Amino acid sequence: MTTAPETVAELIACHWGDHRTGLMYGADAARGVRPAVLSRHRYAREAAARAALLVDLLPPGAEPHVGVLLDNTPEFPFWLGAAALAGAAVAGINPTRRGPELARDVLHTDCRILVTEPAHLPLLRGLDLPGVRILVTGTESYAALLAPYADAGPGGATVRPPGPGSRLLLYFTSGSTGAPKAAICSQGRLAAAGHSLARSFRVGPDDVHYVCMPLFHGNAVIADWLPALCGGAAVALRPRFSASSFLDDVRAYGATYFTYVGRAVQYLLATAPRPDDRAHRLRLGFGTEAGAVDAARFTERFGVRLVEGYGATEGGASVQRTPDIPPGALGRAGAGDDLAVIDPETGLECPAAVLDADGRLTNGAEAIGELVNRGRSLFEGYWRNPAAEAARTRDGWYWTGDLFFRDPEGFLYFAGRTDDRLRVDSENLAAAVIENILARWDAAAAVAVYAVPDEVAGDQVMAALALREGASFDPDAFAAFLAAQPDLGTKMAPRYLRVLDALPVTATNKIHRVALRRAGFLPPPAGGSRPAPVWHRTGAGYRPLDAESLAALLAAYEDRGRRELLDRG
């Protein structure tokens, strides 16, 4: 019996001499452009050449870290493979970061080499990056640098011999406050995760993994690229996610699998239906936070099963699916994990969820808490951030920062982030639970729920709502819909509602909640864009938050000394 490779370097080396399709890119159905195709062997050659270049370019004594500021071009997986072969690590740099924040990410991760592309060079102008050498892909100078290494092979050049404990990724995890933290991911942990997903989804050489989520984020690498490496599937790249091009790409590449994060599924559902929506090879999508309603709609329209998973780049806790999983659940604790839903205020385990006949939560205030791993943890720390490590592993437990509830059979259900918890009239609410209810409204294309300060104490519920194409907001119909939801608690109905053409998203296609919370129910600053309408609940109905109502509301905040809570940070 052949032993599975224990490192990503071994997985790359397995490509050597294999002339099956390994990497595809550049398809453009609108212009009739067919995809470029590279064999698995060619991919390994390109990775080996860059590994040799990396070893020669790194200054003596420098940390073996290379920053990668690229869209999903072939150069990104080339450098991932190069770092693996060389025993080095890649820091994925987010191209939506700007100025000192972007420079901070490069310098914080001790990158002495930064790989970018001409389109991103404007982001680097004027930045102070002492000791950092910038390589610009797609240029003559870059090609000249690589030329002497064209005959390099796997294992020919290393900074240090790659092993299961070798750092491979320094991937930034975002938060609502503070600078992003760089989570450490080793080759052994990443290879094991890839093998696990490849087995779970029966990935084989006939599969094509469509990578449309950004490779600077852990989702695309860990849940899409790595299972393809482990299962022998081809990889197809999309530079940036595009809902309008999704189906054309899937058909052009013959894709069978993709990953999603955030609200990408909602934007796909918002595209105009086509007669050929099911004319493709796609069989599976794997990701997070699609929601049960949208997952069902996606399957009905496109004929593709969506599998919701749970896992963070940090690797501190895992939830595994089982054949008997009920609708809406993510699974049970993974092997070796001791997962519990803990009330962070008391440190005690929350009671089991009470679900009605339709599987809807009826005791959310008591049952929802933070998911904690009280057993072993695969968390490998944050780069040069001991305070963040201590907060994540306090009291000897791994605190995920995510809200969950658990049913009496032990199945776990995601309820949002701890940052997305609201406290209304002394009752704790989870944004994701309210979002899942609001998503049932037929007119809704996308929904986000978040807290705005109450004028007296605590929070109020606010929602941002994007409508389906051709729909208009009917306040009476919306109020009637809310009244008909049996699991909508008395504190859950949004007090404020902003109707948008589309919800703002981050570079990883997650809802930009910080921007929504910052805006609250206030109009944009002077000179800003045309304000999206805001509605507020009065009694059982909704009416526009006009200038007179807004003035009275702000006066109430002033009277209670809470006006500054609404100021945009």
Side-chain angles (χ1 to χ4, degrees):
M1 181 176 177
T2 303
T3 303
E6 294 184 337
T7 66
V8 179
E10 293 176 79
L11 290 169
I12 303 296
C14 288
H15 281 48
W16 202 259
D18 188 339
H19 295 283
R20 291 174 296 176
T21 297
L23 187 65
M24 295 183 282
Y25 61 96
D28 189 335
R31 295 190 298 159
V33 178
R34 296 176 60 83
V37 179
L38 301 181
S39 69
R40 289 161 60 88
H41 175 75
R42 173 68 182 279
Y43 168 72
R45 280 189 57 191
E46 298 291 347
R50 285 156 182 78
L53 173 63
L54 173 62
V55 170
D56 281 355
L57 290 184
L58 276 173
E63 292 289 352
H65 299 168
V66 54
V68 179
L69 176 62
L70 295 170
D71 289 337
N72 289 358
T73 68
E75 288 288 347
F76 210 130
F78 289 165
W79 279 98
L80 288 170
L85 293 173
V90 163
I93 307 300
N94 183 341
T96 67
R97 301 272 282 174
R98 293 292 184 271
E101 291 183 343
L102 190 151
R104 177 263 174 199
D105 292 349
V106 176
L107 298 176
H108 172 71
T109 46
D110 295 307
C111 294
R112 300 298 293 273
I113 296 171
L114 177 64
V115 181
T116 189
E117 56 190 294
H120 290 327
L121 280 178
L123 301 178
L124 303 177
R125 289 189 189 129
L127 296 190
D128 186 17
L129 296 170
V132 178
R133 180 164 183 172
I134 298 174
L135 308 183
V136 185
T137 63
T139 62
E140 291 183 6
S141 61
Y142 182 72
L145 272 176
L146 277 172
Y149 305 98
D151 295 329
T158 61
V159 179
R160 58 186 62 154
S166 301
R167 282 192 304 275
L168 178 56
L169 299 180
L170 295 171
Y171 265 14
F172 287 104
T173 61
S174 59
S176 61
T177 60
K181 304 176 291 292
I184 299 170
C185 306
S186 68
Q187 291 212 28
R189 179 160 70 86
L190 292 169
H195 287 306
S196 177
L197 287 172
R199 287 192 299 269
S200 295
F201 298 138
R202 299 180 181 178
V203 178
D206 292 333
D207 282 306
V208 176
H209 284 212
Y210 178 54
V211 181
C212 56
M213 296 292 103
L215 282 163
F216 68 78
H217 189 256
N219 168 279
V221 172
I222 298 171
D224 212 342
W225 179 68
L226 279 168
L229 285 184
C230 294
V235 170
L237 298 176
R238 171 82 193 180
R240 295 187 181 188
F241 173 74
S242 169
S244 61
S245 299
F246 180 84
L247 275 183
D248 289 338
D249 276 359
V250 163
R251 280 191 279 266
Y253 293 119
T256 59
Y257 171 98
F258 77 107
T259 61
Y260 58 87
V261 296
R263 296 299 184 230
V265 167
Q266 291 184 332
Y267 289 113
L268 291 170
L269 289 170
T271 59
R274 292 163 35 172
D276 58 356
D277 276 345
R278 288 178 169 236
H280 52 72
R281 293 182 63 222
L282 202 60
R283 64 181 177 87
L284 181 68
F286 176 62
T288 61
E289 300 179 44
V293 173
D294 283 333
R297 289 172 176 167
F298 195 90
T299 301
E300 180 181 0
R301 176 173 166 183
F302 298 108
V304 179
R305 182 170 67 103
L306 296 187
V307 175
E308 287 279 296
Y310 175 77
T313 303
E314 291 97 323
S318 63
V319 176
Q320 295 184 352
R321 299 179 65 85
T322 55
D324 57 340
I325 186 170
L330 296 183
R332 289 190 172 102
D337 288 347
D338 178 14
L339 301 186
V341 178
I342 300 293
D343 183 336
E345 296 179 2
T346 65
L348 301 177
E349 191 163 357
C350 296
V354 177
L355 306 177
D356 67 14
D358 296 317
R360 296 171 177 175
L361 180 65
T362 63
N363 65 332
E366 298 81 25
I368 293 174
E370 185 170 351
L371 186 68
V372 173
N373 187 358
R374 301 178 298 192
R376 67 166 179 82
S377 169
L378 297 179
F379 177 52
E380 296 172 299
Y382 295 118
W383 182 253
R384 299 199 191 287
N385 199 335
E389 287 186 21
R392 186 66 78 187
T393 57
R394 62 188 185 273
D395 301 323
W397 295 349
Y398 178 86
W399 296 74
T400 66
D402 294 319
L403 299 174
F404 273 76
F405 58 90
R406 186 201 296 264
D407 70 16
E409 284 71 46
F411 287 102
L412 293 160
Y413 300 70
F414 181 71
R417 313 294 180 194
T418 51
D419 288 340
D420 297 330
R421 170 168 267 182
L422 305 82
R423 191 165 180 84
V424 180
D425 291 342
S426 300
E427 182 174 325
N428 290 323
L429 305 176
V433 172
I434 305 173
E435 287 174 356
N436 289 338
I437 296 172
L438 300 187
R440 299 171 195 156
W441 193 39
D442 290 340
V447 178
V449 169
Y450 45 98
V452 293
D454 181 79
E455 61 266 43
V456 178
D459 303 318
Q460 283 293 333
V461 179
M462 184 164 183
L465 177 68
L467 301 176
R468 297 189 178 280
E469 186 175 356
S472 59
F473 182 67
D474 181 336
D476 294 334
F478 183 71
F481 158 78
L482 294 179
Q485 306 309 305
D487 52 341
L488 187 75
T490 57
K491 309 292 175 58
M492 291 182 178
R495 181 172 173 185
Y496 304 104
L497 183 71
R498 189 181 292 276
V499 181
L500 299 162
D501 294 331
L503 299 189
V505 294
T506 66
T508 56
N509 294 294
K510 295 182 178 180
I511 295 298
H512 200 325
R513 297 180 187 275
V514 173
L516 290 171
R517 282 194 291 263
R518 185 181 296 129
F521 51 73
L522 298 176
S529 59
R530 181 176 63 85
V534 173
W535 300 75
H536 68 127
R537 192 176 75 249
T538 59
Y542 287 84
R543 64 184 180 89
L545 185 63
D546 56 24
E548 181 179 354
S549 300
L550 178 60
L553 182 60
L554 294 179
Y557 281 88
E558 291 280 4
D559 290 344
R560 293 167 176 84
R562 290 173 64 84
R563 175 64 179 83
E564 71 279 0
L565 297 179
L566 302 177
D567 290 340
R568 298 177 173 88

